[in-house]
Amino acid sequence: MKKIKVECELNIYQEEQLDTSELELIAKAKDMVRKAYAVYSGFQVGCALRLASGEIITGNNQENASYPAGICAERVALSYANANFPDIPVVSLAIVAYTNGAYTTLPVTPCGICRQVLLECEARFNQAIKIYMYGQNGIHVIDSSRKLLPFSFDKNFLPEK
Ligand code: THU
């Protein structure tokens, strides 16, 4: 038997330990929870991402009475960024969740589908995306979505065209 071991680590920061541009990204994600359409779950998620140009793109979750048709905040922001700035890499992304009248104490982490989309975005530009997962008790920071999705599926599995 052979074994492959994957190690994964993240850093936990308090807001005062982050720099101005990191705090700006988190503040924009915090703002976006207010405009989320989360009428079914009551779990409002905001996302802000920074492009290599410095521009910030935002998104929030958009739910649907047909539940699977809903889309997460991260994919709203990433799709807008990739649709409108197809040549500019995404360098960082912040996620914040708000429920029961408060930002969550636990950091919110991207769902499996969003991790796959983040991975594609990194591969597309060959640029790691630093992810800030906000929680009132601390901000979890990981330097690449690759670390959130080990043993992942990517274009290398597909046949050559
Ligand atoms: N959601 C996000 O938008 N991003 C996440 O990282 C986790 C979950 C949304 C999907 C759904 O609208 C609601 O939160 C509850 O799952």
Side-chain angles (χ1 to χ4, degrees):
M1 199 259 299
K2 286 185 184 170
K3 193 185 283 192
I4 300 174
K5 195 171 167 186
V6 176
E7 289 197 347
C8 176
E9 63 173 32
L10 53 74
N11 296 315
I12 303 174
Y13 295 97
Q14 300 305 313
E15 290 198 42
E16 58 273 17
Q17 296 173 305
L18 298 176
D19 69 27
T20 322
S21 70
E22 295 171 309
L23 291 174
E24 184 190 18
L25 203 63
I26 290 168
K28 297 254 187 213
K30 276 184 166 176
D31 279 349
M32 285 308 285
V33 302
R34 300 184 197 291
K35 291 186 259 181
Y37 184 65
V39 290
Y40 301 105
S41 70
F43 192 74
Q44 294 163 254
V45 184
C47 175
L49 63 82
R50 192 180 290 281
L51 299 173
S53 59
E55 186 160 349
I56 292 178
I57 304 295
T58 55
N60 47 28
N61 52 336
Q62 298 296 320
E63 297 188 346
N64 194 288
S66 170
Y67 292 1
I71 181 167
C72 294
E74 297 91 317
R75 274 176 291 143
V76 169
L78 285 164
S79 298
Y80 184 92
N82 290 334
N84 290 284
F85 304 95
D87 301 320
I88 309 183
V90 175
V91 293
S92 57
L93 176 143
I95 320 157
V96 173
Y98 183 93
T99 192
N100 292 324
Y103 295 112
T104 57
T105 45
L106 279 178
V108 56
T109 68
C111 78
I113 301 174
C114 289
R115 290 176 195 212
Q116 185 73 28
V117 171
L118 280 158
L119 206 64
E120 184 73 29
C121 192
E122 287 193 351
R124 172 177 179 161
F125 298 109
N126 193 24
Q127 164 72 55
I129 302 174
K130 194 169 180 180
I131 302 170
Y132 296 83
M133 296 164 275
Y134 179 86
Q136 279 197 57
N137 291 347
I139 299 141
H140 287 191
V141 183
I142 200 157
D143 52 25
S144 165
S145 69
R146 202 154 265 293
K147 294 190 177 164
L148 286 175
L149 195 58
F151 304 115
S152 53
F153 181 82
D154 61 27
K155 66 177 179 188
N156 297 317
F157 290 89
L158 298 173
E160 279 183 35
K161 279 188 282 169

